[in-house]
Amino acid sequence: MNVAGDKNRPAAGKVPPSGPAALRAPSRRELGDTFYGMLFLLPWLIGLVVFMAGPTLMSLWLSFTDFNLLDTPKWVAAQNYVKLFTEDRRYAKALSVTFTYVAVAAPLNLIFALALAVVLNSKIKGLGIYRAVYYVPSLLGGSVAIAILWRQIFGFDGVFSQFLHLFGVEGSSWVSSPKRALWTLIILHVWQFGSPMIIFLAGLKQIPAELYEAASIDGAGRWWKFWMITLPMLTPVIFFNLVLQIINSFQAFTPAFIVSGGTGGPLDSTLFYTLYLYFQGFGNFRMGYASAMGWVLLVIIGAVTALAFLSSRYWVHYEDRAR
Amino acid sequence: MAREIQPVPQSGGRGPSRRQVLVGAAALAGSPFLSHMAIAQQGDGKLRISWWGSDDRHQKTLKIIELFQKKHPGTELTSQYGGLIGYKDKLSTEFAGGNAPDVMQISDSREALIASGRLLELDAYVADGKLDLTNANQDVLDIVKVDGKLYSIPWGLATGCWFLDTKVFADTGTELPGMDWTWDEYAAKAKKIADATPSGVYGSADIWSPAGTRSLFPLEFFLRERSKSTFTTAGKLGFGPDELTEWFTFWDDLRKAGAVPPANITALESGFESSPIVMGRAAMYPINSSIASSLQALAPNPLVIRTFPNGKGSTLLSGDKFGQFCNSNMQVYVNAASQDRDLAIEFLNFITNDPDAAKIHLMARGVPLSSKIAAEVGADISPIEQSMVDTIQYVLQNASGNYVPWPREGAQIQDLMQLSHQEIAFEQANVADTVTKFFDEAGKIIPA
């Protein structure tokens, strides 16, 4: 496999054009290239160290302190972590809300995205327009405006309850019901199926047509072909999307913040992990506690992702490995 | 899945010289820091002013700032404003990052800022006459002091109050109460209106309306009727299960009687803009008086303002004292690290005593602190603002006892109180269990 940067390195396996190229000192020109390469990378590198790595490590230290953002942090050892798991009832609630959200919203989103990708992969007229249209929610979905719109749609006299009314279902407000408020956020998440849909489409395009032809000759129907060819061939893409979705939904913040009016309510039913972290850090100025929450979240996401990778051995089929 | 990536053809033309690239990169990387240095080194005459509010308040404040610059040539004031959600968070972050505004409006959780020396103490400026408070209301100044020291100027006096919809009162034949109304009267009127109006309209909004009274103040008023308060001066809880049971039961009974809306309607509110009194779902609504003109602009019918109901002569929530007091939830502070403290003090003096500024501002943040100024703008104000003035005056005349400031854990107790109200309202738990749970949880936040 040939990678873009190979030109500057002595190519293995090829006969060097003249002399022992591998031992030759890099030319001025090559040094210059490295210099410019590093130079152009520098803004990103500085950003990584100063704005990501530094604060991340700092927050690890802060998680063992009592820090109110203004005074010097006080070392309290593991007290924050102990409190999280033994005393904080709202933390337990935030965990359960977040896990429910991830467990329901992420798979639903993928099913939706896959279904539409399959439909859009066929030959219909004006396909480009459909693809664009279905991608639009993903561009808008994370925005504050849509979250406000959502509050209206699922509000007391909202479009949604009027729609239900058509079918004789007594409408009520979904955003202000502790049982249903989380569902409005799940629906909002599922609605943003654009990105995984595009990735699925790309994956679908790569499935060799001869597999379908062969199956057709053997008399397989549409559903059978989907089940026996499309799905297995797509498992690496599904896996990729699944991991992204899990990580994304663990970190969801904006929709819950806006739809719940900045409260995580009603009755903490939309108190996402990140929302509670924000309340503790910036509402109650318990930065040490919030940092501890952040690190626990990191461990949780790491563990769930690791589980996904472990399970992938049993259900993800890589073409090259099978052969 | 990886496909072969073709090597990018090397460009034949001459690229920029190393020097050009370096200069460009330095300029790019350095620009934010350079401009930041410029701010830090700024000379006299520059202030950054920060506040929250609705559009009405923004427009008036911007005009006042313009007027200040006109009257003080050579000064340059910049503004930073928006809604209340996120305001406090942003300000704290700015303080932590060392770039907080010079002059700012703050409501609660100022104790931590004062304790860490971030806010300027104003007593010296009052003493040497730079900050003229001769006509200011001394009781309110006493309330806003911390440990006997003045750090802030109330930008308008305010109090927790009830807004009443006069049209619904008239239509249902319900008599408007006086300032001395009792909790009994309140409950009776709420029930009467609920019975006389079509279903879906309630007598009063609930007390835990998410935006309205999302604070401990209503409970505080009730406790003060009995010479207690939410927190003690030592920072512990100042009330017990008996008072809380009585408080929760009062509201639970009204909810069950249909006098206040069920929980899923109350939870719809995401700001006073979507409150039941604006949506035409309730005839009474509790919130801070400072939003009077903004609320009236949105409400369908003319409103009037009343104090919180009294415990004196009441069987429900009885008490022998007048519990309410004036606060100022819009106090103005000066950053102790401001580059131009004198100008900042000058600005505080300007918003307190300048008659031209007061004519622009009117009651956008409540009744002016200076009685002289309040009297001067009196002729220009609207009916709802007049109602606000009357209410504030009534409270000032009747209030007694000192306000006990919140300890650092106050915000967490407030969250817990809000959640407890919701658990009862959404029928997740009964009053007795909720009270037990409240003190259990509160004991973890503030060990007794």
Side-chain angles (χ1 to χ4, degrees):
Chain A
M1 236 171 249
N2 203 354
V3 185
D6 274 1
K7 257 205 156 168
N8 294 333
R9 270 181 268 141
K14 280 184 192 164
V15 181
S18 64
L23 302 174
R24 176 174 65 86
S27 74
R28 226 194 114 135
R29 161 112 207 182
E30 281 164 353
L31 268 183
D33 282 352
T34 315
F35 174 78
Y36 282 115
M38 292 310 289
L39 188 66
F40 281 110
L41 264 179
L42 207 57
W44 182 83
L45 275 177
I46 291 176
L48 180 78
V49 173
V50 176
F51 297 115
M52 293 288 294
T56 306
L57 288 176
M58 176 87 176
S59 81
L60 180 60
W61 177 66
L62 283 178
S63 75
F64 293 100
T65 66
D66 181 6
F67 178 45
N68 69 355
L69 205 62
L70 298 170
D71 299 323
T72 323
K74 257 188 309 199
W75 182 263
V76 295
Q79 209 187 77
N80 287 329
Y81 292 94
V82 173
K83 271 190 186 162
L84 265 184
F85 291 109
T86 56
E87 288 185 5
D88 197 337
R89 188 161 61 110
R90 291 187 85 192
Y91 179 71
K93 176 79 185 174
L95 271 182
S96 98
V97 167
T98 309
F99 272 105
T100 313
Y101 179 76
V102 173
V104 179
L108 269 185
N109 177 292
L110 290 187
I111 292 170
F112 230 78
L114 180 58
L116 271 149
V118 168
V119 172
L120 292 185
N121 193 36
S122 53
K123 295 185 177 67
I124 348 170
K125 251 189 197 170
L127 206 56
I129 297 172
Y130 286 120
R131 281 179 194 165
V133 166
Y134 285 123
Y135 192 71
V136 166
S138 290
L139 297 176
L140 302 174
S143 73
V144 171
I146 289 297
I148 289 174
L149 177 74
W150 225 249
R151 215 183 141 77
Q152 293 298 325
I153 290 176
F154 291 96
F156 196 74
D157 302 318
V159 177
F160 188 73
S161 82
Q162 285 176 10
F163 174 76
L164 286 185
H165 201 75
L166 287 181
F167 300 94
V169 180
E170 197 47 58
S172 77
S173 165
W174 278 42
V175 286
S176 64
S177 153
K179 283 196 191 108
R180 296 180 185 146
L182 185 59
W183 282 96
T184 64
L185 295 176
I186 290 174
I187 294 170
L188 178 59
H189 184 82
V190 172
W191 184 57
Q192 298 163 51
F193 50 78
S195 304
M197 180 189 80
I198 296 289
I199 300 173
F200 277 135
L201 261 174
L204 286 170
K205 297 254 177 262
Q206 298 206 338
I207 301 175
E210 59 260 32
L211 289 180
Y212 291 110
E213 282 164 23
S216 295
I217 291 166
D218 288 344
R222 234 182 208 190
W223 178 245
W224 201 241
K225 275 193 270 186
F226 174 78
W227 203 243
M228 299 307 286
I229 300 172
T230 312
L231 218 47
M233 294 295 286
L234 216 51
T235 44
V237 185
I238 295 177
F239 176 61
F240 173 77
N241 270 333
L242 182 70
V243 171
L244 279 193
Q245 280 295 318
I246 288 175
I247 295 175
N248 274 341
S249 16
F250 264 117
Q251 297 175 338
F253 176 82
T254 317
F257 185 80
I258 306 289
V259 173
S260 72
T263 63
L267 210 59
D268 283 352
S269 58
T270 58
L271 187 69
F272 283 7
Y273 198 104
T274 50
L275 206 55
Y276 189 48
L277 190 155
Y278 173 79
F279 290 156
Q280 287 292 1
F282 290 93
N284 298 336
F285 304 112
R286 300 171 77 195
M287 283 295 162
Y289 198 69
S291 300
M293 286 185 66
W295 277 89
V296 175
L297 181 62
L298 181 78
V299 170
I300 291 174
I301 293 182
V304 173
T305 311
L307 269 180
F309 268 92
L310 281 179
S311 77
S312 73
R313 279 187 208 167
Y314 303 101
W315 62 274
V316 178
H317 307 282
Y318 290 101
E319 214 182 331
D320 40 359
R321 206 186 286 167
R323 276 175 190 172
Chain B
M1 286 219 333
R3 289 278 171 271
E4 296 237 321
I5 300 167
Q6 294 303 314
V8 181
Q10 209 98 28
S11 115
R14 284 186 54 185
S17 78
R18 182 173 300 184
R19 188 190 192 133
Q20 281 167 327
V21 171
L22 279 176
V23 170
L28 269 178
S31 53
F33 301 104
L34 288 174
S35 65
H36 193 80
M37 278 166 61
I39 289 170
Q41 289 170 352
Q42 78 190 9
D44 290 356
K46 285 187 183 172
L47 289 181
R48 187 151 54 97
I49 296 163
S50 159
W51 72 90
W52 81 86
S54 57
D55 193 52
D56 173 59
R57 194 182 292 158
H58 295 331
Q59 296 310 324
K60 285 175 176 165
T61 312
L62 288 171
K63 276 187 199 150
I64 287 177
I65 287 173
E66 207 175 296
L67 180 71
F68 182 84
Q69 294 186 94
K70 224 179 267 171
K71 290 195 173 187
H72 300 80
T75 58
E76 196 184 323
L77 273 59
T78 47
S79 322
Q80 177 181 316
Y81 55 94
L84 180 58
I85 290 183
Y87 177 85
K88 192 173 76 175
D89 323 346
K90 186 177 175 189
L91 205 59
S92 314
T93 316
E94 284 176 331
F95 267 112
N99 58 346
D102 300 281
V103 174
M104 72 223 92
Q105 181 181 311
I106 309 179
S107 63
D108 46 9
S109 60
R110 59 204 184 122
E111 279 78 12
L113 286 170
I114 289 171
S116 67
R118 307 299 174 106
L119 299 173
L120 186 64
E121 197 198 319
L122 305 176
D123 292 299
Y125 298 93
V126 179
D128 69 11
K130 281 182 182 157
L131 186 52
D132 178 9
L133 297 177
T134 39
N135 294 312
N137 186 296
Q138 289 304 319
D139 293 338
V140 177
L141 287 180
D142 284 342
I143 287 176
V144 302
K145 279 180 183 171
V146 175
D147 295 333
K149 291 176 187 162
L150 186 70
Y151 290 91
S152 63
I153 295 300
W155 201 345
L157 308 182
T159 184
C161 69
W162 286 83
F163 285 84
L164 314 183
D165 187 322
T166 53
K167 185 165 182 297
V168 179
F169 267 77
D171 289 351
T172 56
T174 315
E175 204 183 327
L176 279 173
M179 295 287 181
D180 57 351
W181 62 331
T182 62
W183 286 109
D184 288 347
E185 275 179 70
Y186 163 80
K189 285 180 196 300
K191 282 178 193 156
K192 183 174 178 191
I193 293 170
D195 290 342
T197 47
S199 74
V201 180
Y202 301 86
S204 167
D206 207 338
I207 200 66
W208 63 275
S209 17
T213 53
R214 197 184 147 67
S215 104
L216 292 170
F217 277 105
L219 176 72
E220 172 83 10
F221 292 162
F222 159 58
L223 293 172
R224 282 167 60 100
E225 291 173 6
R226 298 181 179 178
S227 306
K228 296 192 171 192
S229 61
T230 318
F231 300 104
T232 64
T233 42
K236 308 288 183 192
L237 281 188
F239 60 100
D242 291 347
E243 285 95 10
L244 193 59
T245 305
E246 213 177 321
W247 180 247
F248 282 159
T249 307
F250 177 80
W251 294 104
D252 196 36
D253 288 347
L254 282 177
R255 211 175 294 120
K256 284 177 178 150
V260 304
N264 65 343
I265 290 191
T266 301
L268 276 179
E269 182 178 335
S270 61
F272 70 85
E273 297 87 347
S274 55
S275 61
I277 202 164
V278 169
M279 310 303 278
R281 290 199 189 103
M284 297 189 263
Y285 176 60
I287 196 169
N288 195 285
S289 65
S290 57
I291 62 147
S293 32
S294 303
L295 187 68
Q296 179 63 79
L298 294 168
N301 303 319
L303 307 173
V304 290
I305 303 178
R306 291 294 181 263
T307 54
F308 262 70
N310 293 275
K312 251 189 274 183
S314 184
T315 54
L316 297 162
L317 302 179
S318 63
D320 54 8
K321 281 175 70 183
F322 181 76
Q324 199 166 349
F325 57 93
C326 266
N327 68 330
S328 165
N329 65 337
M330 269 161 277
Q331 300 172 44
V332 193
Y333 295 78
V334 175
N335 185 346
S338 169
Q339 295 292 310
D340 200 338
R341 294 174 181 191
D342 286 341
L343 190 65
I345 296 292
E346 180 66 43
F347 184 77
L348 260 53
N349 193 50
F350 177 77
I351 58 174
T352 312
N353 296 311
D354 190 285
D356 297 325
K359 284 209 175 84
I360 296 170
H361 198 236
L362 295 176
M363 306 272 163
R365 283 180 176 82
V367 178
L369 177 68
S370 154
S371 53
K372 187 167 162 244
I373 292 294
E376 276 181 38
V377 300
D380 300 331
I381 60 178
S382 65
I384 192 68
E385 287 170 331
Q386 184 58 51
S387 183
M388 176 169 82
V389 172
D390 296 342
T391 310
I392 298 281
Q393 269 167 3
Y394 185 87
V395 173
L396 285 176
Q397 280 159 14
N398 289 281
S400 63
N402 281 332
Y403 164 64
V404 183
W406 286 10
R408 190 185 146 189
E409 297 85 357
Q412 278 173 271
I413 297 291
Q414 173 170 294
D415 284 347
L416 179 61
M417 181 64 72
Q418 189 73 2
L419 208 57
S420 304
H421 269 297
Q422 291 191 29
E423 278 182 353
I424 300 169
F426 279 110
E427 294 171 359
Q428 306 284 307
N430 62 25
V431 170
D433 292 347
T434 308
V435 169
T436 311
K437 211 149 91 179
F438 176 91
F439 283 98
D440 189 36
E441 295 285 318
K444 288 177 194 162
I445 298 169
I446 305 180

